[in-house]
């Protein structure tokens, strides 16, 4: 029984960590607030964010993407769905929800979710678990991360505007310093130490998540230091339900559309499309929010829907693995059956 509990903790330590750091931030917010012992204006704003993207650059296996590169039609579908269709559909949903009593800043947080790029790992892990087109999932996760560095800040500024305290030039200067340069440096360094990385297989994902907890902690310290900010619990519950329903809708939509014969996707392609098109990156998203909305007093509140979306996509994906795998195998068997055995 002890081993079972330990294994559960090991598998879910990051989700538990999010709850712990938010609780700690609530208990004593001055530690992680500006001017506090943690000095987030340096350790978080520059060091932690830069490390997250250096870590991403070092871990992205772009040399393994050549086999999937030529599947242009699939990549175009995933990237357009993720960075064009989803932001627009979420924006329309938010316009309707603004007429309800749901907290306005949590609804803006939904817009934030819509603007996020695909994650580096979760979509690949789920695609692999099902037996889908793993190469396509790797390509779209990696390419989406690179594309998101440019597109996501632009989408955030377009849908939400900038915080009045930070001019556009400063935003893009910091994006270059703490996102683009560390990512490129990580990729260049990977070329020289590729052999060592393959032998040792460093835990990039775990290290990145640990640093991300520091960023989340600092963000909520700022929130709890501002006693004027209040979070409506009914709005929070409503957002959690909306996030779940939104994910289910997007999964059903990608599953249905990607089966159109005119698109020519295989069942394995459909699996990759489902997960890559609907998943959103927390690892890249939170640091970007810290840059684009530096000084925003509602920063932590607009980040809450993304913090909800992340575990939901993993849990929902995990629940769907067996069902999606059964569908994929049945669809592949049907496709490979001789034409004469198919019903007329």
């Amino acid at each position: 029984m002890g081993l079972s509990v330990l294994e559960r903790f090991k598998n879910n330590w990051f989700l538990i960590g999010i709850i712990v750091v938010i609780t700690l931030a609530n208990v004593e917010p001055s530690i992680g607030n500006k001017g506090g012992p943690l000095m987030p204006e340096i350790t978080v704003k520059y060091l932690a964010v830069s490390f997250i993207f250096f870590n991403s650059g070092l871990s992205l296996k772009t040399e393994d993407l050549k086999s999937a590169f030529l599947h242009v039609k699939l990549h175009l579908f995933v990237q357009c769905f993720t960075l064009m269709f989803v932001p627009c559909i979420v924006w329309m949903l938010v316009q309707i929800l603004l007429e309800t009593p749901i907290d306005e800043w949590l609804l803006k947080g939904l817009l934030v979710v819509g603007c996020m790029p695909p994650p580096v790992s979760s979509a690949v892990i789920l695609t692999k678990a099902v037996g889908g087109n793993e190469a396509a999932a790797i390509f779209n996760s990696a390419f989406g991360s690179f594309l998101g560095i440019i597109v996501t800040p632009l989408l955030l500024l377009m849908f939400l505007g900038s915080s009045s305290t930070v001019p556009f030039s400063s935003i893009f200067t910091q994006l270059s310093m703490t996102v683009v340069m560390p990512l490129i440096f990580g990729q260049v360094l990977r070329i020289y130490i590729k052999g060592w990385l393959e032998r040792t297989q460093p835990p990039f994902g775990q290290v990145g998540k640990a640093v991300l907890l520091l960023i989340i902690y600092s963000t909520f310290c700022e929130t709890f230091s501002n006693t004027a900010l209040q979070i409506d619990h009914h709005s929070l519950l409503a957002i959690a339900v909306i996030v779940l329903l939104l994910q289910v809708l997007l999964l059903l939509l990608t599953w249905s559309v990607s089966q159109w014969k005119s698109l020519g996707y295989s069942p394995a392609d459909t699996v990759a499309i489902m997960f890559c098109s609907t998943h959103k990156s927390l690892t890249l998203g939170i640091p970007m929010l810290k840059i684009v909305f530096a000084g925003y007093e509602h920063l932590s509140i607009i980040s809450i829907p993304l913090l909800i979306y992340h575990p939901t996509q993993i849990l929902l994906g995990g629940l769907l693995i067996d069902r999606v795998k059964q569908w994929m195998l049945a669809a592949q068997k049907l496709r490979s059956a001789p034409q004469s055995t198919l019903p007329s």
Side-chain angles (χ1 to χ4, degrees), residues 31-195:
I31 294 174
N33 198 17
K34 287 180 183 178
L38 192 62
M39 293 190 294
E41 57 271 26
I42 298 172
T43 56
V44 173
K45 186 177 182 180
Y46 293 103
L47 299 181
V49 173
S50 296
F51 181 82
I52 287 276
F53 287 96
F54 168 72
N55 188 56
S56 294
L58 202 57
S59 61
L60 282 173
K61 297 181 180 179
T62 44
E63 67 271 12
D64 293 342
L65 305 181
K66 294 174 185 175
S67 61
F69 181 73
L70 296 176
H71 209 334
V72 177
K73 192 163 62 172
L74 187 151
H75 309 325
L76 196 62
F77 181 98
V78 171
Q79 300 306 325
C80 287
F81 191 93
T82 305
L83 295 171
M84 291 175 64
F85 178 80
V86 173
C88 291
I89 204 74
V90 172
W91 179 83
M92 288 190 284
L93 175 63
V94 167
Q95 300 314 301
I96 296 168
L97 292 173
L98 281 170
E99 302 301 320
T100 68
I102 299 175
D103 187 281
E104 176 191 358
W105 295 102
L106 287 174
L107 290 177
K108 288 186 176 183
L110 267 184
L111 281 174
V112 164
V113 171
C115 297
M116 289 297 121
V120 174
S121 58
S122 64
V124 176
I125 292 167
L126 290 169
T127 300
K128 184 177 182 179
V130 173
N133 190 338
E134 187 185 354
I138 293 171
F139 181 92
N140 280 286
S141 293
F143 183 63
S145 297
F146 283 120
L147 201 59
I149 290 169
I150 301 166
V151 177
T152 294
L154 292 175
L155 287 171
L156 289 171
L157 292 170
M158 183 174 73
F159 285 117
L160 293 167
S162 172
S163 57
S164 58
T165 57
V166 185
F168 287 169
S169 58
S170 176
I171 289 170
F172 288 108
T173 298
Q174 194 175 343
L175 279 171
S176 300
M177 286 173 54
T178 58
V179 176
V180 179
M181 294 307 295
L183 195 73
I184 293 172
F185 181 59
Q187 279 286 281
V188 171
L189 183 60
R190 181 178 177 81
I191 295 170
Y192 295 100
I193 62 170
K194 181 185 170 186

Side-chain angles (χ1 to χ4, degrees), residues 167-309:
F168 287 169
S169 58
S170 176
I171 289 170
F172 288 108
T173 298
Q174 194 175 343
L175 279 171
S176 300
M177 286 173 54
T178 58
V179 176
V180 179
M181 294 307 295
L183 195 73
I184 293 172
F185 181 59
Q187 279 286 281
V188 171
L189 183 60
R190 181 178 177 81
I191 295 170
Y192 295 100
I193 62 170
K194 181 185 170 186
W196 178 81
L197 290 173
E198 289 178 347
R199 286 194 307 274
T200 57
Q201 295 186 334
F204 291 115
Q206 308 302 326
V207 173
K209 285 176 180 177
V211 177
L212 186 58
L213 286 177
L214 173 64
I215 297 173
I216 293 169
Y217 172 71
S218 167
T219 302
F220 277 86
C221 280
E222 288 182 33
T223 299
F224 294 129
S225 294
N226 187 347
T227 53
L229 289 180
Q230 297 291 328
I231 300 175
D232 176 18
H233 296 295
H234 292 99
S235 292
L236 201 58
L237 180 60
I239 286 294
V241 173
I242 291 165
V243 162
L244 176 60
L245 294 176
L246 178 63
Q247 283 194 42
V248 171
L249 174 66
L250 293 176
L251 283 166
L252 286 172
L253 191 59
T254 50
W255 178 73
S256 302
V257 174
S258 61
Q259 289 183 74
W260 291 355
K261 289 185 178 179
S262 58
L263 294 175
Y265 298 132
S266 69
D269 292 339
T270 293
V271 173
I273 288 169
M274 281 175 63
F275 293 126
C276 291
S277 300
T278 59
H279 279 214
K280 295 292 184 178
S281 177
L282 178 70
T283 307
L284 304 181
I286 294 292
M288 280 188 187
L289 285 177
K290 291 287 285 186
I291 295 168
V292 177
F293 298 111
Y296 225 53
E297 66 172 353
H298 295 95
L299 174 59
S300 61
I301 297 179
I302 65 173
S303 70
I304 287 173
L306 184 57
L307 290 171
I308 295 172
Y309 197 98

Side-chain angles (χ1 to χ4, degrees), residues 16-27:
I16 295 168
I18 290 176
I19 296 168
V20 170
V21 297
I22 292 175
T23 303
L24 290 174
N26 189 30
V27 171

